[in-house]
């Protein structure tokens, strides 16, 4: 009777309480809560209610911390279980990222109508990169010059540039090879787009190779059939994402070539 009425009064006043009590230790708050449940509520009562509110908050915080700790513990167990499978997707994702990044760099070298030294970078002379034969510089907006290290290679360098998919004109002038960059023709545009497509296919091939390596490792790992299927789906999603990136880069470059 009397105890029930006292508890009801406490509950009603706690609902109305707005200002929590500061600088209250857990031990003193809990002790005060016990005292409030065994003694008549004094007048004035707000200070007592503050103690009760503080104790309630501390109990709630302690409960939340316990729950959080259990969740973190559960999460760490899942992570350790995933690591125990012996399969890490990160290296293969890095390979796919590198394939897309390399393709993007190659597209940057294909600049129609503008003298950019990077344009000649993919060209090979007798199976070796052009940079091993000389340095390429831009001399004005419409002229590239190749300063050859060995003068005996001048003709070979010029021929390699002319025979490349870029279909550029190259001529030997003194100790260098000059490559004029005129406004691109329809034929040159087609050549550039063909080169863009070739580089895109190389990028896709690299992405698929990374996928193949990932699945080979996954199949050898000590995992269940369901886990293997889950990993295969995850790897395929990653592959599709990178293939889409390559296709988008190619489409953007083709559009850029059509506008010059």
């Amino acid at each position: 009777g009397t105890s029930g009425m006292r508890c009801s009064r406490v509950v009603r006043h706690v609902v109305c309480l707005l200002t929590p009590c500061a600088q209250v230790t857990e031990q003193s708050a809990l002790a005060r809560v016990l005292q409030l449940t065994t003694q008549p509520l004094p007048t004035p009562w707000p200070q007592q209610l503050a103690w009760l509110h503080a104790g309630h908050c501390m109990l709630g915080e302690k409960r939340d911390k316990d729950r959080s700790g259990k969740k973190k513990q559960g999460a760490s167990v899942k992570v350790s279980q995933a690591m125990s499978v012996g399969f890490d997707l990160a290296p293969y994702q890095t390979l796919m990222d590198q394939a897309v990044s390399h393709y993007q760099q190659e597209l940057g070298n294909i600049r129609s109508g503008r003298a950019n030294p990077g344009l000649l970078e993919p060209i090979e002379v007798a199976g070796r990169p052009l940079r091993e034969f000389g340095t390429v510089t831009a001399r004005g907006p419409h002229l590239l010059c190749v300063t050859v290290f060995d003068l005996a290679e001048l003709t070979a360098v010029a021929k390699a540039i002319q025979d490349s998919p870029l279909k550029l004109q190259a001529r030997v002038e003194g100790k260098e090879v000059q490559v004029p960059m005129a406004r691109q023709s329809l034929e040159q545009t087609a050549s550039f787009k063909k080169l863009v497509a070739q580089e895109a296919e190389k990028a896709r091939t690299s992405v698929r190779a990374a996928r193949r390596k990932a699945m080979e490792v996954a199949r050898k790992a000590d995992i269940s059939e369901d886990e293997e299927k889950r990993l295969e789906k995850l790897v395929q999603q990653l592959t599709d994402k990178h293939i889409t990136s390559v296709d988008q880069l190619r489409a953007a470059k083709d559009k850029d070539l059509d506008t010059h």
Side-chain angles (χ1 to χ4, degrees), residues 28-234:
S28 60
L30 295 178
R32 196 58 177 162
V33 170
L34 293 176
Q35 183 180 358
L36 285 172
T37 58
T38 57
Q39 294 182 4
L41 193 65
T43 303
W45 45 263
Q47 182 61 32
Q48 304 297 335
L49 290 177
W51 282 94
L52 179 60
H53 178 72
H56 173 75
C57 290
M58 286 193 171
L59 286 173
E61 290 176 0
K62 186 175 185 302
R63 182 175 62 251
D64 293 342
K65 287 181 181 179
D66 291 341
R67 289 178 179 174
S68 177
K70 289 180 181 178
K71 288 182 180 179
K72 288 181 180 179
Q73 184 179 4
S76 63
V77 170
K78 290 181 181 179
V79 170
S80 61
Q81 287 176 348
M83 293 178 64
S84 65
V85 207
F87 180 80
D88 184 8
L89 185 58
Y92 309 101
Q93 181 175 356
T94 300
L95 289 175
M96 294 182 186
D97 290 341
Q98 290 174 346
V100 175
S101 178
H102 179 72
Y103 179 53
Q104 195 167 16
Q105 291 175 359
E106 290 299 319
L107 292 182
N109 294 332
I110 303 175
R111 297 179 182 261
S112 57
R114 293 183 295 272
N116 175 33
L119 179 65
L120 304 183
E121 199 169 295
I123 296 177
E124 294 185 348
V125 181
R128 293 160 53 195
L130 177 62
R131 62 177 177 273
E132 294 185 9
F133 291 84
T135 57
V136 183
T137 56
R139 190 171 298 166
H142 302 293
L143 183 64
L144 291 175
C145 295
V146 183
T147 303
V148 181
F149 302 140
D150 186 354
L151 296 182
E153 304 288 354
L154 277 171
T155 303
V157 169
K159 187 174 185 305
I161 294 173
Q162 289 178 335
D163 294 343
S164 73
L166 297 177
K167 302 297 182 182
L168 297 172
Q169 296 298 317
R171 60 177 182 267
V172 177
E173 293 287 345
K175 298 181 179 180
E176 63 185 17
V177 176
Q178 295 184 354
V179 184
M181 300 294 296
R183 183 176 177 82
Q184 70 184 39
S185 63
L186 292 178
E187 183 181 358
Q188 286 176 323
T189 298
S191 298
F192 282 131
K193 293 176 75 171
K194 182 178 179 181
L195 182 60
V196 168
Q198 291 174 348
E199 293 298 331
E201 187 54 37
K202 289 181 183 178
R204 293 192 202 97
T205 300
S206 297
V207 171
R208 295 186 184 111
R211 175 195 178 280
R212 185 169 58 254
K213 291 179 182 178
M215 291 313 305
E216 287 175 355
V217 174
R219 292 188 183 101
K220 294 178 182 178
D222 185 17
I223 57 178
S224 65
E225 185 176 347
D226 290 341
E227 182 66 13
E228 182 180 330
K229 289 181 179 179
R230 187 189 71 81
L231 288 175
E232 183 175 3
K233 182 178 180 181
L234 186 62

Side-chain angles (χ1 to χ4, degrees), residues 245-258:
S245 296
V246 171
D247 293 340
Q248 290 174 343
L249 288 171
R250 177 189 173 182
K253 189 62 180 181
D254 284 346
K255 184 178 179 180
D256 178 63
L257 290 171
D258 288 335

